[in-house]
Amino acid sequence: MTKEIFKLLSAKYLIVATLAIITVGFHIYLIFTGLMPNLVSRPIHLLFVLPWIFLLTQDENISKFTKYLGYILLACAMFSSYYIIVNHIDLEEQYGSLEGTLQYFVAISLLLAVLEMARRAIKLALPLTAIIALAYGLFGHYIPGDFGHQEIPLDSFLGTLVIAEGGIYGSLTGISVNVVAVFVILGAFVGVGEGGNAFMSLSTKIAGRLRGGAAKVSVLASAFFGSISGSASANVASTGAFTIPTMKRLNYPASLAAASEAVASTGGQIMPPLMGAGAFIMAELLGVQYSFIMSSAIFPALLFFFTVWIGIDVFAKKYNLISMSNNDIPKINLVLKLSPFFILPFGVLLYALIIIKKTPQFSAALAIFISISLLLVNKDWQFSFKEFIFKFLDGCISASKQIATIASVIICAGIIIGVLNITGVGVKITSAILYLSNGELFTALLLTAFACLILGMEVPTTAAYIICVSIAGPILQEYGLSAIQAHLFIFWFALLSTITPPVCGTVFIASGIAQVNWLKVAIKSMKLGLGLYLIPLSFIVNPYLIKPDTHFTLAFISFIKIGLGLWFISNALVNDKLKLIYRILLSLFGLIIVFFPL
């Protein structure tokens, strides 16, 4: 027997694979039923997530105490989730108020499990924020002045967070169940098939022969792949494993190789068609079709990648970077053979979303079925059922792990949002920012951007966006911004921490692959990622940029104008051969063009 057969027949793999199939099957099943009560579907979602965090993704260096504590929390949380599922009708009639010792046990065990899930998935920052929020909800009535609140009965406070839809089973968890998980599944099946190779081969074929070709390949590949994965870190780890060594082999400075990949991977989260979990949450919060989010985001995303491209081109001139060799560039036959592996699923997805206007979930389900069907063949279009089995199971396992990680973030963020709503402190913070901004929109924008940066320091983009938009979104709209402007502005600035010191996740990963000092990478990343800082401000001044669906001509003119300004600024920042006075003048001229309203 082959090693693969032994792997397939091992008891542990069979258990993991079975759990993964059930997890994936449940989320796809929900798409076609949609009749399951929220206090059933959402606890089941958590029930499937718990084992992946507490049993199947443990750190090898974990202490025995933490390990066994995790087992206890797992057992308690699974029992508590089961309790809510079985008794959901009676719980709904309690209107968020706990009754009896058992329900207190259910509430406390679930809150502790969710906090520990988030800590294991993304370290301490988010669960610590949630703990502070919980402490404020419990003891905030002792705080004098405006930032205190009336005492909230413990049964009502915990009940709203746990047995009602105001906390861990709130609307954010609903988005995780019904939308995010489905697109994670799609990305996983595309990834385990030939979709990743297809993106890379197409990108290499398009950009490989250009000046600084390897870096430009990373820009295209990251734009393609990142728009599916929605994770900057996953993007760096996957495409960077190919592009960074290739760039170093072609004598790119290691810091530039890492910076190119870090910045391009960050941009994947703002690149339609998928844009990551945050974009789906945005569509739900705004109550609009996902296609509207896509159309609003497309020109800003293209401007971002254009700015990165220009920066790389200037660096290529500076370091005399050559194109990739012919041996590294795939033949057109290979590109054509691989292209259906992403054209078919994403063609179906976009057709269903945009042309026949199906829901994102239904559209993704169609694309998932296409992606699974494509697992039956390899890159040479040869049928292999054995390979299909392994790819299918690996896709289910990969999807389940990603669903668990994202759910850990979203459910924990739900605690914070729940406390904000119960105590009303969100309104008070909003009022404080309005007071500090003294009626000035620009000051309010700076305060909001700073808050996003601080929150994003160790909190993933999705969580930072959710928390910031809950507090700052209403403020920006009070200053006259449209809802989509406010949400996109906050979403973009939530990305800043991925390339901005001191906590810059993609920079650390890329510098590790390139084996170079992270600070050098961060400096180059901030130069290349200029668009991440300026474009959100540009669509505040030029609102037509995000309205191509209703004002295409004005949106396109804004796109060209802002692109020209960013070209001047990028050249001034990157090209240090120019005299300082010329660089300053170029920057000023570019800023005038970018921020001159139509």
Side-chain angles (χ1 to χ4, degrees), residues 166-299:
I168 66 173
Y169 295 133
S171 59
L172 290 181
T173 303
I175 296 168
S176 178
V177 177
N178 298 314
V179 184
V180 176
V182 180
F183 281 89
V184 167
I185 294 167
L186 171 59
F189 281 122
V190 171
V192 297
E194 298 294 338
N197 292 332
F199 290 135
M200 189 60 70
S201 64
L202 178 62
S203 303
T204 307
K205 190 66 178 177
I206 293 172
R209 288 192 173 88
L210 301 176
R211 179 173 53 208
K216 291 173 180 175
V217 167
S218 78
V219 173
L220 289 179
S222 295
F224 287 142
F225 183 76
S227 70
I228 303 169
S229 71
S231 167
S233 298
N235 206 347
V236 173
S238 53
T239 60
F242 169 80
T243 59
I244 292 175
T246 301
M247 285 186 267
K248 289 182 69 177
R249 192 171 69 248
L250 295 172
N251 297 320
Y252 283 59
S255 58
L256 176 61
S260 300
E261 183 58 46
V263 175
S265 295
T266 297
Q269 292 185 80
I270 52 174
M271 185 67 186
L274 299 191
M275 299 173 61
F280 302 120
I281 293 172
M282 188 186 304
E284 293 289 328
L285 293 178
L286 290 174
V288 298
Q289 289 191 340
Y290 183 69
S291 56
F292 174 72
I293 304 295
M294 286 171 52
S295 67
S296 300
I298 185 63
F299 277 158

Side-chain angles (χ1 to χ4, degrees), residues 274-591:
L274 299 191
M275 299 173 61
F280 302 120
I281 293 172
M282 188 186 304
E284 293 289 328
L285 293 178
L286 290 174
V288 298
Q289 289 191 340
Y290 183 69
S291 56
F292 174 72
I293 304 295
M294 286 171 52
S295 67
S296 300
I298 185 63
F299 277 158
L302 290 175
L303 282 170
F304 171 78
F305 281 102
F306 169 75
T307 310
V308 178
W309 188 283
I310 293 300
I312 288 172
D313 197 60
V314 177
F315 271 123
K317 290 179 185 177
K318 176 181 176 180
Y319 294 115
N320 193 28
L321 301 177
I322 61 173
S323 61
M324 296 174 67
S325 68
N326 288 332
N327 292 333
D328 290 325
I329 297 175
K331 304 296 183 185
I332 187 65
N333 288 342
L334 177 62
V335 176
L336 291 175
K337 279 198 296 186
L338 288 174
S339 58
F341 287 97
F342 70 86
I343 289 176
L344 288 176
F346 290 103
V348 169
L349 172 67
L350 294 177
Y351 175 79
L353 265 177
I354 298 170
I355 305 300
I356 59 177
K357 299 190 182 304
K358 296 294 184 181
T359 65
Q361 299 96 308
F362 185 84
S363 304
L366 296 180
I368 288 169
F369 296 145
I370 296 293
S371 299
I372 293 173
S373 301
L374 289 170
L375 298 179
L376 287 164
V377 294
N378 60 21
K379 65 181 180 181
D380 296 316
W381 290 87
Q382 296 173 335
F383 178 86
S384 174
F385 187 72
K386 186 177 79 172
E387 285 187 19
F388 168 79
I389 294 295
F390 291 116
K391 288 178 181 177
F392 176 76
L393 294 179
D394 286 347
C396 289
I397 293 170
S398 175
S400 298
K401 288 180 177 178
Q402 291 179 60
I403 288 169
T405 301
I406 295 173
S408 299
V409 172
I410 291 178
I411 296 172
C412 189
I415 294 175
I416 300 169
I417 302 304
V419 174
L420 290 176
N421 291 333
I422 294 169
T423 61
V425 72
V427 176
K428 296 174 182 178
I429 296 173
T430 299
S431 300
I433 295 176
L434 283 170
Y435 175 77
L436 290 173
S437 60
N438 197 29
E440 294 290 334
L441 172 61
F442 185 71
T443 306
L445 291 171
L446 289 181
L447 289 169
T448 302
F450 182 70
C452 290
L453 178 59
I454 296 299
L455 272 173
M457 281 188 171
E458 275 201 25
V459 174
T461 300
T462 301
Y465 160 69
I466 291 167
I467 297 167
C468 273
V469 85
S470 299
I471 297 171
I475 303 170
L476 299 183
Q477 291 181 60
E478 283 197 29
Y479 279 100
L481 299 188
S482 65
I484 186 65
Q485 274 181 302
H487 280 248
L488 280 178
F489 179 87
I490 292 168
F491 187 50
W492 272 67
F493 271 100
L495 291 171
L496 273 171
S497 61
T498 60
I499 62 169
T500 306
V503 181
C504 34
T506 59
V507 167
F508 286 130
I509 296 171
S511 61
I513 297 173
Q515 297 181 326
V516 64
N517 182 278
W518 71 270
L519 190 56
K520 293 181 180 179
V521 179
I523 292 169
K524 283 190 171 66
S525 295
M526 291 173 72
K527 290 181 178 179
L528 289 174
L530 172 73
L532 200 61
Y533 299 84
L534 296 182
I535 292 170
L537 293 169
S538 75
F539 60 65
I540 300 298
V541 179
N542 297 273
Y544 290 118
L545 182 69
I546 58 174
K547 297 179 180 179
D549 54 336
T550 56
H551 300 81
F552 181 81
T553 302
L554 290 172
F556 186 72
I557 293 171
S558 298
F559 172 75
I560 297 298
K561 177 182 75 72
I562 294 167
L564 181 63
L566 290 171
W567 184 86
F568 283 119
I569 298 169
S570 186
N571 271 276
L573 281 180
V574 176
N575 190 358
D576 53 14
K577 291 182 179 180
L578 288 174
K579 290 183 179 180
L580 181 59
I581 184 64
Y582 293 140
R583 297 175 72 186
I584 292 172
L585 289 173
L586 269 178
S587 296
L588 290 174
F589 185 59
L591 287 170

